[in-house]
Amino acid sequence: MPRPNRFYDVIQIGPVKVGTFNNGRGQTRHTAACTAPGCGFSTEHRDRSAAELAARTHRCNP
């Protein structure tokens, strides 16, 4: 069984990275997290398209 929170298929959209991982329950999840200092934006989604949409529409306000 793969380790939880091991990201793969990672892309970067502006300052936001989108990655896929398998959680501890055997589910595939997708996350978007901003890499800008002091931002703190991150979301988790069931669909890759939702995570990519969150990354594309995120506006940083650190």
Side-chain angles (χ1 to χ4, degrees), residues 5-60:
N5 297 332
R6 187 127 206 175
F7 294 97
Y8 59 93
D9 197 16
V10 177
I11 63 169
Q12 187 154 354
I13 301 172
V16 181
K17 286 192 178 185
V18 177
T20 301
F21 68 98
N22 295 312
N23 67 10
R25 297 179 178 190
Q27 301 165 326
T28 300
R29 304 292 285 184
H30 312 277
T31 189
C34 187
T35 59
C39 180
F41 168 80
S42 68
T43 59
E44 186 177 310
H45 302 275
R46 286 185 296 171
D47 301 317
R48 175 75 183 207
S49 58
E52 290 184 12
L53 178 64
R56 282 183 173 78
T57 58
H58 171 66
R59 296 294 172 254
C60 231

